[in-house]
Amino acid sequence: QVQLVESGGGLVQAGGSLRLSCAASGSIRCNNAMACWYRQAPGKERELVAFISRGRFTDTADSVKGRFTMSRNNAENTWYLQMNSLKPEDTAIYYCAARNTGDTVVYWGQGTQVTVSS
């Protein structure tokens, strides 16, 4: 049974930073999986923010390019999203999603709230 648990959200002023964590348990392994961070703001569609591949290739959405960085720690079996220079428009619930290599099932976390004040 796979479980993803996001943490690290909170309230921060514009220009500040937060580091989100996505801790994985069960059969999923960070070094043999890909993962993404999504976010959903009130009244808006879910948006893909960043992803990391099995080989640690990463990319981010244009809206967060240069400010957000996704990474992982294999020993901790955890994915991270480092968010710098936060803007009020970054306010959303952030979700982690991951899939094992060779599998089709995508697992989702419960989300963590990020609120950026002006």
Side-chain angles (χ1 to χ4, degrees):
Q1 186 174 355
V2 172
Q3 186 176 25
L4 304 178
V5 179
E6 300 99 330
S7 62
L11 175 64
V12 65
Q13 291 184 336
S17 298
L18 286 173
R19 187 194 191 204
L20 305 184
S21 299
C22 175
S25 62
S27 62
I28 199 165
R29 295 291 180 267
C30 288
N31 63 357
N32 194 38
M34 64 87 65
C36 303
W37 284 96
Y38 289 86
R39 68 185 182 186
Q40 188 162 24
K44 293 187 176 181
E45 191 173 340
R46 187 183 65 185
E47 175 190 17
L48 176 64
V49 175
F51 81 93
I52 187 167
S53 74
R54 175 185 177 184
R56 279 195 166 97
F57 173 81
T58 63
D59 200 7
T60 53
D62 289 342
S63 59
V64 303
K65 191 80 69 178
R67 300 187 297 117
F68 291 10
T69 303
M70 191 173 180
S71 63
R72 73 176 189 236
N73 186 303
N74 292 337
E76 298 175 353
N77 213 35
T78 300
W79 290 279
Y80 300 96
L81 183 66
Q82 180 66 47
M83 305 186 295
N84 299 324
S85 301
L86 283 161
K87 304 175 181 179
E89 51 263 44
D90 295 321
T91 296
I93 300 175
Y94 285 72
Y95 298 91
C96 178
R99 176 182 60 81
N100 281 321
T101 299
D103 290 345
T104 59
V105 178
V106 178
Y107 300 96
W108 289 84
Q110 83 291 339
T112 184
Q113 176 71 49
V114 172
T115 303
V116 184
S117 65
S118 59

